[in-house]
Every structure is written in C-alpha cells, then in structure tokens.
Amino acid sequence: MLAPRFEVERLGARLAHVRALTEALAAPLSDADASVQSMPDASPAKWHLAHTSWFFETFILRDHVPGYTLHDARYPFLFNSYYEAEGPRHARARRGLITRPSLAEVLAYRAAVTAAVADALPRLPASVLPLVELGCHHEEQHQELLLTDILHLFAQNPLEPALWPAAPAHHAPPAALGWIAHEGGLVETGHEGDGFAFDAEGPRHRHWLDPFAIASRPVSNGDWADFIADGGYRDAQHWLSDGWAWVQAEAIEAPLYWRRDEGAWTGFTLAGRRVLHPAAPVTHVSFYEADAYASWAGARLPTEAEWEVAAAGADPLSGTQLDRAGPVSPQAGDGFFGDVWEWTGSAFRPYPGFRVTEGAVGEYNGKFMNGQFVLRGGSCATPRGHLRASYRNFFYPWQRWQFTGLRLARDGR
C-alpha cells in the first residue's frame, strides 16, 4: 500500500530541507578542512556528509527500490559506521585517512542519493516511509556532530580559525539560581503517541520519585569560574574515583576550550576565541566534571526521570537551537530545551520492555546501552524541531567535545 500523497509531500519537503542544511553547514570548509580527523571520537566533515548518504542509499534505495545500483560499490566499506550486519568497514579511528573520494565527489554522491530518494518516495510502500523519517532524524544528529567535530578540529589549529566570524553574542544579565519543586510520587516517562521517537525513548513506563527540586537554569560560566577559583579541580573530595583519576591523568584544570587570557577566561567557539560571558551556560564539561561541580555546590545531578517530569510542560522549540547555517553559541536562559545538553545521573540503559528492532537498523541504539550516561534537553547545535521531553542523548563520562553542561537537583522540595 502506498502512503497518502500529503504524507509523501511532507516527507519530501523534510528530506530536501535536512539534506540542504547539512551541506550549508559544511559550505565554508575546504577539502582539507573536511578531510582531517582531530581525534578518534570525532569524524571528518566529509565522512559525515557521505555516511548520512550511505544510510539513505542502503536502507531505502538498495533495500526498497527494485533495480537500484549503488553509486559506488566501494562506498559501503568506507562510510558504514557501526552496523555489523552490513559487513566489514573502515576503522573509525582512521577515517581521517580517507583523502579520496574528494569533497566534490562526496557532494556529488549526496546529490545523487537525494535525487534518487526524492524520486522514489511516491512509489515506496507506506511501511518504508518511517525509515525515510528515521534517516532525516539520523542526519539531524549528524548535523550536530558535524559542528562539534569541526569545532574540535579548528581548536587544534594554532590559528584558531572561525567557521562563521560573528560579533560577540549579547546575553541577558545573570539570573539568580532558583529551585523548582516537585512532590514526587508515581510518574510515567518515555515516549508515547504517534510522533517520531528513537527506539531508546520507549516504551513508556512508571517510576516512583521521592520529592525533589531542580534548578531553574543550567550552571553558568560564572558559576563554574567560582568552582575553579575555589580549587574545585584540585580537591579530590568532590570527585568520583574514576573522575579524579581522569583529572590527574589528563591534567584537567577547566572545561574544554577554556583558557586564561590577560586575567579573563576565554573559550574557543565556532566564531573564534571569545571572552566567556558569565551568564551563558557552561559547556564542554564531562560527566565527571558535572558530578564534581554538583558535589561542590551541595547538590547532585538530576535523574533522567526527574528531568523529564520537570520538563514535561516546557516548549521543546524554545531556547537557542540550530535553525540555519551561521554562528552557533549557547545563550543564557531558564528553559529546559536548547543551548546546552544537561548531564543526568542516570546510566543509558534500556527501559522496561525495550526490544531491539530486527535487522541492521536495530543496531541504532540498543547495543550502546552500556557504560554511558544520559543527557537531556538539546543544545545550540541541535536542529530545532528535533527535540522532545523523552529524547535521550548519551555519552561516555569522560567525553566533553559536545555542547554538554548541567543543571543541579537536590532531594526534598
């Protein structure tokens, strides 16, 4: 059965928008910029551009369009990410060695795949359209990764180039930290309804929460500067054992990209190095740092259930989020969405009743539910419209090249 025409047209417009935005984000890059890999956790921009195309080509065109021929039979080995069911692939840590195909060839690949998917949409069975929707959301995730990987790459360059030169952002005055009380009790969390959600967001299930309070805003740069000044990175009593070992081994003294210049803290951004505004939310901190700060502040990190319950009535379209190619920076605010991802104290584990989807697409989230912690709320680099209260992001506790920050919680009302 074919899908209704209005659904095909909606999805076609969404596909065109998502694909065009990815290319606009990468437009300022040279071939060299797009080919270099700054660390094993990051990927070259060219790889992001190609991998998101491989996803559509593999799971839509190859699997559901009769007679489709691969654009290049060598590309699946180069641009498969982690799908074991799709066979062998190039090692993640060596993606920066893929100097060929060129950036121009990758962009041609993108154009061919986009055109083929758009052409096939009216003839695809209705049952396949959710895969196209998944491909769009998958590419939006890579738009955020693309920006954070470019930021990390440019930060390694002694010239500290700007992706988008821009005037300094204007932040609202620092807001006093308040507390939002919740009475606790039996609550439900997780996605429900007909809208899109990733598999890890469900099924909806129940929790018992004791009374708690959650901070009215994220922790700011000014708050974090106080933590540093008070010796927060030198006092083991606030740190988890693994975190303290990480701080010592890596000589961590401040958030990633922070530097003391002529008596002021500066941070490297996609607009170049800037003096940090004290009211803006702190970004690029690890789970270890977030947990240590919460201990120093006499509080704790919220659980993901507490965060979701507190944010349930908030507008997921609010806050600073990615709307177009251009300067990206977190702004001061008191909302739950946008600006900065917020670490929670919850491990990324399956919800009760979770089942892995059959086939290669089932590898999307399930096999990563080990050793990582959940973040909530999105960031300034998350495409607007991508978020909802049930959305679960996840990273390892030492990782901090994403726009990651925190919001405090405490027991009782």
Side-chain angles (χ1 to χ4, degrees), residues 135-147:
C136 291
H137 285 267
H138 166 257
E139 182 147 344
E140 286 181 329
Q141 290 183 314
H142 277 271
Q143 289 168 352
E144 183 162 15
L145 287 167
L146 173 69
L147 291 180

Side-chain angles (χ1 to χ4, degrees), residues 119-315:
D119 178 70
L121 268 177
R123 302 187 304 277
L124 290 175
S127 60
V128 176
L129 294 195
L131 281 175
V132 181
E133 187 82 62
L134 173 63
C136 291
H137 285 267
H138 166 257
E139 182 147 344
E140 286 181 329
Q141 290 183 314
H142 277 271
Q143 289 168 352
E144 183 162 15
L145 287 167
L146 173 69
L147 291 180
T148 51
D149 288 355
I150 292 170
L151 177 62
H152 189 270
L153 172 65
F154 281 11
Q156 313 315 306
N157 187 325
L159 299 180
E160 293 192 321
L163 181 65
W164 295 299
H170 297 285
H171 295 269
L177 182 67
W179 294 92
I180 303 168
H182 194 282
E183 62 185 7
L186 189 64
V187 302
E188 289 190 351
T189 64
H191 179 78
E192 67 175 355
D194 297 329
F196 176 85
F198 290 106
D199 57 356
E201 297 178 53
R204 195 161 178 85
H205 56 291
R206 293 181 294 177
H207 296 267
W208 178 265
L209 297 180
D210 288 329
F212 71 95
I214 194 166
S216 58
R217 61 164 176 81
V219 171
S220 69
N221 288 327
D223 298 330
W224 203 272
D226 291 340
F227 172 66
I228 296 174
D230 196 44
Y233 282 94
R234 302 188 302 273
D235 190 345
Q237 69 170 319
H238 299 304
W239 293 81
L240 297 170
S241 176
D242 286 352
W244 185 244
W246 172 78
V247 164
Q248 299 299 297
E250 301 295 329
I252 306 296
E253 297 179 339
L256 187 63
Y257 308 134
W258 279 38
R259 190 174 73 202
R260 195 80 170 167
D261 290 333
E262 298 180 357
W265 283 111
T266 65
F268 184 69
T269 75
L270 288 165
R273 183 159 293 280
R274 300 295 178 89
V275 174
L276 290 166
H277 195 288
V282 66
T283 62
H284 305 297
V285 297
S286 68
F287 171 84
Y288 293 143
E289 290 167 285
D291 187 82
Y293 178 91
S295 173
W296 173 81
R300 60 174 174 80
L301 298 178
T303 67
E304 64 169 323
E306 290 172 338
W307 192 99
E308 186 171 330
V309 166
D315 181 5

Side-chain angles (χ1 to χ4, degrees), residues 105-117:
E105 289 172 310
V106 166
L107 291 174
Y109 174 44
R110 286 186 60 84
V113 169
T114 302
V117 175

Side-chain angles (χ1 to χ4, degrees), residues 48-67:
H48 285 294
L49 293 166
H51 165 73
T52 48
S53 300
W54 169 86
F55 190 96
F56 281 109
E57 183 178 44
T58 300
F59 299 123
I60 305 300
L61 299 175
R62 185 201 67 182
D63 290 354
H64 298 286
V65 177

